[in-house]
């Protein structure tokens, strides 16, 4: 090829008989020498003469193994701009590496005066960050990165400042063969114990401080390719695997196969398991007894989502989304578009459904399946895999995966679908989508796995609040009610001592909650207080009697319940009483309201 990439000549007959070449050399006459693993050397004559010295005389161009024809350095490097972020167990200073330098020197001070700074570390030319484990959380620091080469040292750029508080490592435990792809999602039971399992049959339970409770090994022939795990109110563990649905006793002492399974499982607000077994949809109680008669699936595949009113969701081979009631009858259908790959992403508190109708689009449906909005994505988007909703469902965070293996987190206005900001992962995705299930806390912190990193981003701006680097691929995090953040990294289960509970939203994390139920609401209800809405001629405000979070349901006959339409308000800013409140839309002459636990 010439310098513009145009084809000059082609030789192919000789290449077909050569072994893979461990080295190539090009001389000044245009002879290309290929060395083979069998020990021979072949020369190809392209008939192109060179007017200069050999452009590639050695395997890596020169004795420095630079692999580049770049000219020698003749000036000092330019100023290096850096950013500093709070990092678990210290701060992290990041910059963009040019790869053409000798080294970087990193300086730190508690004032913006470089003359008062102390050198805290050195990094090679290929590095792009340095960790400062001696930093004290919450103390303001200023960092400078100075680059040097054979000519001199770069001038100082404006300092990178940081003053933040990060969670600390509460516990780390190694589980044999945990490092599977995709990484498993942990389960935190109601008693605060963590349960973890993998595709080879290992399972482990520990408390949030890392004290082991039990381990077990189930034959990998029985439990292979664990795709999900969930826990019920009694502490039982249910596994959805390639071989079926399994139940593990709360103490890990026994396991039972409930059914052969071809899809996802979910634990509805009525306490019943929902899954597909063979060609039928099944409802089972927590001890494994089938409720009613199996219902033919009729080609539908369950999405593993159950709404607060008990409506389950399924997809047909043509991409039509079905809402199925407790008898598996279709309550509504919503053609999302022209694709058979429609993917459900999240459910809103008001019953809205967020989905990706095609690999290059997003959409939202209301509680009855009517289209509210649809937004296209870039043409190079390969697919959309996961999403989470922020406090009061005001923001939808969606992770998409591009053809070039980059993952992007988008913050969207949930009411309109308009994009507010985006964050592109710093590393190519090792396993697309499955690694990037986000989770959101009630202070708008978005937790995003990014290969071996866990980012904590500001939900309003996308700025980095803090980060964590694991020993391997970071799996989807789950957030316990006490703020603990639990996830896997490589073959470890890691617990960070967070302080904020999960966001009160329709879908704050993978599996909806820390138990992985993939379901909204809970059996039973919350006592509600009803009061007139301020400043409105006709209206009411619903608030839980104990000030806690709730999901409102509405009915006209006390038999069929559905999500109440209306708007939530955060009473910490809008109303004097504690806890969220809901202003339902009043319709007809008679309505009954009840609240279920989120």
């Amino acid at each position: 090829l010439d310098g513009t990439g145009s084809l000059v000549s082609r030789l192919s007959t000789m290449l077909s008989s050569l072994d893979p070449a461990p080295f190539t050399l090009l001389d000044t006459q245009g002879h290309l020498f290929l060395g083979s693993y069998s020990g021979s050397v072949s020369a190809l004559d392209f008939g192109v003469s060179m007017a200069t010295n050999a452009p590639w005389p050695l395997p890596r161009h020169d004795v420095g193994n630079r692999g580049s024809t770049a000219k020698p350095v003749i000036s000092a490097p330019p100023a290096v701009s850096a950013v500093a972020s709070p990092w678990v167990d210290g701060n992290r200073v990041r910059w963009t590496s040019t790869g053409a330098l000798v080294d970087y020197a990193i300086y730190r001070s508690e004032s913006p005066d470089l003359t008062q700074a102390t050198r805290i570390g050195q990094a090679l030319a290929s590095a792009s960050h340095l960790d400062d484990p001696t930093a004290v959380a919450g103390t303001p620091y200023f960092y400078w990165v100075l680059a040097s080469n054979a000519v001199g040292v770069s001038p100082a750029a404006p300092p990178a400042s940081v003053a933040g508080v990060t969670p600390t490592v509460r516990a780390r435990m190694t589980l044999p063969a945990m490092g599977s792809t995709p990484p498993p999602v942990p389960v935190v039971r109601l008693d605060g114990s963590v349960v973890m399992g993998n595709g080879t049959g290992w399972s482990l339970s520990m408390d949030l401080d890392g004290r082991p409770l039990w381990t077990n090994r189930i034959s990998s022939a029985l439990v292979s390719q664990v795709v999900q795990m969930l826990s019920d109110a009694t502490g039982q563990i249910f596994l959805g695997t390639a071989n079926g649905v399994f139940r593990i006793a709360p103490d890990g002492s026994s396991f039972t196969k409930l059914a052969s399974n071809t899809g996802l499982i979910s634990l509805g607000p009525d306490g019943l398991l929902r899954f597909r077994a063979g060609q039928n949809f099944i409802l089972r109680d927590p001890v494994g007894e089938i409720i009613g008669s199996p219902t033919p699936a009729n080609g539908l595949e369950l999405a593993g989502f159950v709404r607060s009113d008990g409506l389950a969701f399924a997809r047909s081979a043509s991409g039509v989304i079905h809402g199925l009631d407790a008898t598996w009858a279709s309550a509504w259908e919503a053609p999302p578009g022209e694709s058979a790959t429609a993917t459900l992403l999240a459910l809103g508190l008001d019953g809205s459904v967020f989905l990706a109708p095609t690999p290059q689009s997003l959409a939202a449906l209301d509680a009855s399946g009517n289209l509210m909005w649809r937004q296209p994505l870039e043409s190079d988007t390969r697919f959309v895999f996961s999403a989470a909703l922020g406090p009061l469902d005001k923001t939808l965070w969606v992770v998409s995966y591009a053809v070039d293996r980059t993952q992007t987190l988008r913050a969207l206005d949930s009411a309109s679908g308009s994009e507010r900001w985006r964050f592109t992962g710093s590393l190519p995705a090792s396993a697309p989508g499955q690694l990037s299930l986000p989770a959101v806390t009630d202070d708008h912190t978005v937790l995003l796995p990014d290969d071996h990193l866990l980012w904590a981003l500001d939900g309003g701006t996308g700025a980095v609040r803090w980060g964590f680097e694991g020993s391997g691929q970071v799996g989807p995090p789950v957030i316990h009610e006490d703020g603990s953040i639990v996830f896997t990294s490589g073959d470890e289960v890691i617990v960070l001592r967070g302080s904020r509970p999960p966001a009160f939203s329709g879908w704050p994390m993978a599996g909806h909650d820390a138990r992985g139920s993939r379901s909204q609401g809970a059996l039973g209800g919350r006592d509600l207080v009803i009061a007139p809405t301020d400043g409105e001629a006709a209206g009411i405000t619903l608030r839980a009697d104990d000030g806690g979070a709730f999901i409102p349901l509405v009915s006209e006959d006390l038999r069929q319940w559905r999500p109440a339409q209306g708007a939530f308000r955060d009473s910490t800013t809008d109303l004097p009483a504690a806890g969220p409140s809901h202003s339902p839309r009043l319709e007809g002459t008679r309505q009954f309201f009840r609240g279920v636990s989120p």
Side-chain angles (χ1 to χ4, degrees):
L1 307 179
D2 64 16
T4 66
S6 301
L7 180 66
V8 176
S9 60
R10 181 196 303 270
L11 293 178
S12 59
T13 56
M14 292 183 64
L15 291 175
S16 64
S17 64
L18 295 176
D19 297 334
F23 72 87
T24 60
L25 300 176
L26 186 66
D27 70 5
T28 58
Q29 283 74 47
H31 299 130
L32 182 67
F33 298 93
L34 302 177
S36 72
Y37 287 107
S38 62
S40 64
V41 177
S42 301
L44 303 181
D45 185 359
F46 280 87
V48 179
S49 62
M50 300 295 176
T52 62
N53 293 330
W56 207 268
L58 297 175
R60 294 288 294 165
H61 179 263
D62 53 30
V63 293
N65 286 332
R66 292 185 301 159
S68 170
T69 58
K71 295 180 180 180
V73 175
I74 59 175
S75 62
V80 179
S81 296
V83 294
S85 306
W87 215 253
V88 173
D89 296 328
N91 290 331
R92 172 164 289 190
V93 185
R94 293 177 286 129
W95 62 88
T96 300
S97 172
T98 65
L101 306 172
V102 175
D103 62 17
Y104 298 96
I106 295 84
Y107 293 82
R108 186 188 78 185
S109 175
E110 294 186 22
S111 71
D113 184 359
L114 179 57
T115 64
Q116 303 297 316
T118 302
R119 178 170 171 156
I120 62 169
Q122 183 175 347
L124 297 178
S126 59
S128 58
H129 75 269
L130 180 129
D131 288 333
D132 178 13
T134 64
V136 178
T139 300
Y141 292 107
F142 298 86
Y143 292 92
W144 293 262
V145 177
L146 301 183
S148 65
N149 57 21
V151 176
V153 180
S154 66
S161 60
V162 60
V165 177
T166 63
T168 58
V169 176
R170 182 173 181 176
R172 303 180 83 137
M173 177 173 285
T174 300
L175 177 64
M178 178 60 73
S180 59
T181 301
V185 181
V187 164
V188 184
R189 298 187 288 188
L190 291 180
D191 63 358
S193 60
V194 179
V195 180
M196 180 58 53
N198 63 14
T200 64
W202 279 101
S203 58
L204 169 148
S205 179
M206 68 180 196
D207 65 20
L208 290 170
D209 292 315
R211 290 182 288 266
L213 302 177
W214 52 260
T215 58
N216 202 341
R217 179 72 185 272
I218 303 171
S219 169
S220 58
L222 293 176
V223 182
S224 65
Q225 300 179 20
V226 175
V227 293
Q228 71 173 120
M229 176 185 291
L230 63 85
S231 170
D232 68 2
T234 69
Q236 295 183 106
I237 298 296
F238 297 92
L239 300 178
T241 79
N243 295 333
V245 177
F246 293 81
R247 182 180 68 234
I248 302 177
D251 61 359
S253 60
S254 63
F255 71 96
T256 306
K257 185 173 182 177
L258 299 183
S260 297
N261 179 43
T262 59
L264 297 171
I265 58 177
S266 55
L267 183 66
D270 51 8
L272 301 180
L273 292 170
R274 289 162 167 78
F275 54 86
R276 175 177 171 175
Q279 299 303 312
N280 296 316
F281 287 151
I282 303 292
L283 285 175
R284 281 184 180 266
D285 64 19
V287 297
E289 295 296 327
I290 295 179
I291 305 300
S293 300
T295 301
N298 295 325
L300 297 180
E301 191 66 48
L302 288 178
F305 287 57
V306 184
R307 207 165 61 182
S308 56
D309 58 348
L311 203 68
F313 295 88
R315 187 190 72 198
S316 70
S318 61
V320 176
I321 301 297
H322 294 253
L324 306 177
D325 63 21
T327 66
W328 297 114
S330 181
W332 53 258
E333 301 177 10
E338 64 280 1
S339 171
T341 59
T343 302
L344 262 70
L345 301 174
L347 301 178
L349 292 168
D350 62 356
S352 53
V353 180
F354 299 91
L355 69 158
T358 72
Q360 290 84 34
S361 64
L362 301 171
L365 310 176
D366 66 15
S368 300
N370 302 308
L371 182 67
M372 295 192 299
W373 55 259
R374 181 167 178 168
Q375 292 287 353
L377 300 177
E378 289 80 1
S379 59
D380 65 345
T381 304
R382 187 174 175 184
F383 56 76
V384 177
F385 188 84
S386 56
L389 285 162
L392 301 183
D393 289 355
K394 293 181 179 180
T395 306
L396 174 72
W397 286 279
V398 179
V399 176
S400 63
Y401 176 72
V403 175
D404 64 358
R405 297 178 62 228
T406 58
Q407 294 184 143
T408 301
L409 176 72
R410 305 166 193 269
L412 306 176
D413 183 292
S414 60
S416 65
S418 60
E419 185 173 316
R420 293 174 175 172
W421 55 262
R422 65 175 61 185
F423 177 87
T424 301
S426 60
L427 299 170
S430 299
Q434 288 108 328
L435 297 180
S436 297
L437 291 164
V440 190
T441 65
D442 73 343
D443 65 345
H444 292 78
T445 298
V446 185
L447 302 173
L448 175 70
D450 180 20
D451 201 79
H452 63 272
L453 302 176
L454 177 66
W455 296 105
L457 307 175
D458 185 301
T461 64
V464 176
R465 285 185 170 175
W466 54 265
F468 173 87
E469 182 168 6
S471 58
Q473 294 176 356
V474 172
V478 298
I479 308 169
H480 186 48
E481 288 298 323
D482 69 357
S484 295
I485 302 167
V486 187
F487 57 94
T488 61
S489 177
D491 60 357
E492 287 188 302
V493 184
I494 298 174
V495 182
L496 299 183
R497 194 183 298 276
S499 60
R500 308 297 304 191
F504 171 48
S505 69
W507 211 263
M509 71 185 92
H512 175 263
D513 51 34
R515 294 189 294 130
S517 69
R518 302 179 69 87
S519 169
Q520 299 177 314
L523 193 64
R526 305 293 294 273
D527 292 331
L528 297 181
V529 176
I530 300 179
T533 300
D534 294 338
E536 297 185 15
I540 60 173
T541 294
L542 303 177
R543 187 182 304 115
D545 186 46
D546 60 2
F550 66 96
I551 301 178
L553 302 179
V554 63
S555 175
E556 284 80 22
D557 56 10
L558 294 177
R559 293 191 298 271
Q560 298 293 324
W561 295 87
R562 65 182 185 278
Q565 301 299 292
F568 270 98
R569 289 194 293 175
D570 185 354
S571 61
T572 59
T573 57
D574 297 337
L575 294 173
S581 65
H582 184 263
S583 298
R585 187 171 64 211
L586 300 181
E587 299 174 334
T589 57
R590 183 176 62 176
Q591 285 181 296
F592 302 93
F593 295 95
R594 64 187 290 255
V596 296
S597 299

